[in-house]
Amino acid sequence: MQDKKVRKIFNSISFRYDLANFFISLGIERYWRSRFLKMISGCEKKILDACCGTGYSTFGIAGRIKNDGIIYGVDFSSEMLEIARLKSERHLSSAAREQNMIIRFMEGDVTCLDFEDNYFDFITVVFGIRNVKDRKKALEEFYRISSDKSRLLIMEFNYPQNKFIRKIYDFYLAFIMSNLGAIITGNKEAYSYLAESIKNFPDVISFCTLIREAGWKILKVRPMTFALCTIYFAIK
Ligand SMILES: C[S@@+](CC[C@H](N)C(=O)[O-])C[C@H]1O[C@@H](n2cnc3c(N)ncnc32)[C@H](O)[C@@H]1O
């Protein structure tokens, strides 16, 4: 799907995005996010949360950082960022406050970022890379702006390979997720897109190849819950 359409979809569901996520994943998403956060050492200083959306991932990551680092949340949907900035004003995580952690939200396309070479020591992408049209370009851009030995941590959905699980998942995508998403956000098209984007996302092996082709060395691949979601951990 074209970037313009993806942006339009996220702009249209921004105000109910966090709520819809919880319900359509039947709560499992929170567990996946907690597993993801546990893979952050906390010593990182300059962090990019790419495709940060409403900042759900960004605030979670900020809460894990043990020092006074800076975290940039970048997204190309102005409405998703608007929610992130509102949340930032209202309830910036107490952990982030205590550590003088700086959180900045910026509008931008992750395939062409306005940061200098070798700037970041940690890059995260939570349920975002699936939506990026030119994923290779984004992974290369992350490589360019990362310093030597920087880490890349990505979490993304997968379309299950097991035929039995796939049947159940197809039912869930077509009837539960699409309908719940449509009821909560009033936008059925957005949740049909979400289902399609999960089906069209490369399998774990192909996505690992793409990460490697962009220059990264993969350290860990962690599939979760019948491989419905995978965490990819790589180093420059
Ligand atoms: C499913 S949301 C994920 C939000 C957040 N990371 C989270 O944990 O909930 C995906 C986000 O990717 C953004 N996105 C997709 N393609 C992008 C691109 N090329 N550049 C920047 N943001 C992009 C969308 O605007 C959307 O906000």
Side-chain angles (χ1 to χ4, degrees):
M1 188 181 269
Q2 284 175 342
D3 281 347
K4 220 168 124 186
K5 277 195 176 168
V6 172
R7 194 180 304 136
K8 199 173 157 209
I9 282 175
F10 282 103
N11 275 339
S12 72
I13 60 167
S14 58
F15 68 110
R16 290 270 170 87
Y17 171 82
D18 292 356
L19 184 73
N21 263 359
F22 177 73
F23 284 105
I24 64 172
S25 74
L26 311 173
I28 299 170
E29 182 227 0
R30 289 219 174 149
Y31 162 70
W32 291 338
R33 285 182 189 269
S34 72
R35 292 276 305 267
F36 179 87
L37 292 179
K38 280 189 187 139
M39 292 184 74
I40 299 175
S41 75
C43 302
E44 297 83 357
K45 285 240 172 221
K46 289 176 183 163
I47 305 145
L48 169 69
D49 184 32
C51 301
C52 65
T54 60
Y56 195 163
S57 44
T58 324
F59 293 114
I61 295 156
R64 289 285 299 178
I65 305 302
K66 297 186 194 99
N67 51 43
D68 54 352
I70 180 158
I71 177 163
Y72 290 90
V74 174
D75 201 286
F76 69 9
S77 157
S78 56
E79 310 272 322
M80 293 287 271
L81 285 175
E82 186 65 34
I83 305 284
R85 290 192 183 110
L86 276 176
K87 282 202 246 173
S88 192
E89 281 163 26
R90 276 194 223 140
H91 37 214
L92 176 59
S93 87
S94 54
R97 265 190 218 282
E98 276 166 28
Q99 292 142 16
N100 294 321
M101 178 99 211
I102 299 167
I103 304 182
R104 282 201 189 129
F105 290 106
M106 288 169 49
E107 199 168 326
D109 187 324
V110 298
T111 59
C112 178
L113 288 161
D114 205 6
F115 294 106
E116 63 195 64
D117 293 359
N118 311 317
Y119 180 73
F120 290 99
D121 59 16
F122 191 46
I123 296 187
T124 55
V125 198
V126 181
F127 302 128
I129 198 77
R130 188 190 70 251
N131 303 284
V132 177
K133 195 164 174 260
D134 193 342
R135 296 181 194 116
K136 174 103 183 286
K137 203 166 169 213
L139 292 165
E140 284 169 351
E141 188 65 345
F142 298 154
Y143 192 86
R144 178 188 69 76
I145 59 174
S146 294
S147 58
D148 205 23
K149 304 274 180 242
S150 288
R151 313 286 161 128
L152 171 71
L153 192 58
I154 298 178
M155 180 158 71
E156 195 48 86
F157 296 113
N158 292 114
Y159 193 43
Q161 300 296 307
N162 178 296
K163 279 188 186 157
F164 177 67
I165 306 280
R166 189 177 272 207
K167 277 211 157 140
I168 301 173
Y169 199 57
D170 278 341
F171 174 82
Y172 158 78
L173 288 179
F175 299 104
I176 303 178
M177 193 193 76
S178 302
N179 290 328
L180 266 183
I183 291 166
I184 297 169
T185 64
N187 188 335
K188 193 160 173 88
E189 191 204 350
Y191 287 86
S192 305
Y193 156 75
L194 184 60
E196 279 313 303
S197 69
I198 294 172
K199 287 184 182 176
N200 294 333
F201 189 67
D203 60 37
V204 172
I205 294 173
S206 310
F207 187 56
C208 283
T209 305
L210 201 67
I211 296 174
R212 283 196 201 96
E213 280 173 2
W216 296 93
K217 185 179 170 209
I218 296 180
L219 295 177
K220 262 184 218 158
V221 177
R222 186 162 288 174
M224 298 179 288
T225 324
F226 306 112
L228 294 180
C229 179
T230 303
I231 298 175
Y232 306 84
F233 192 39
I235 186 167
K236 177 165 174 179

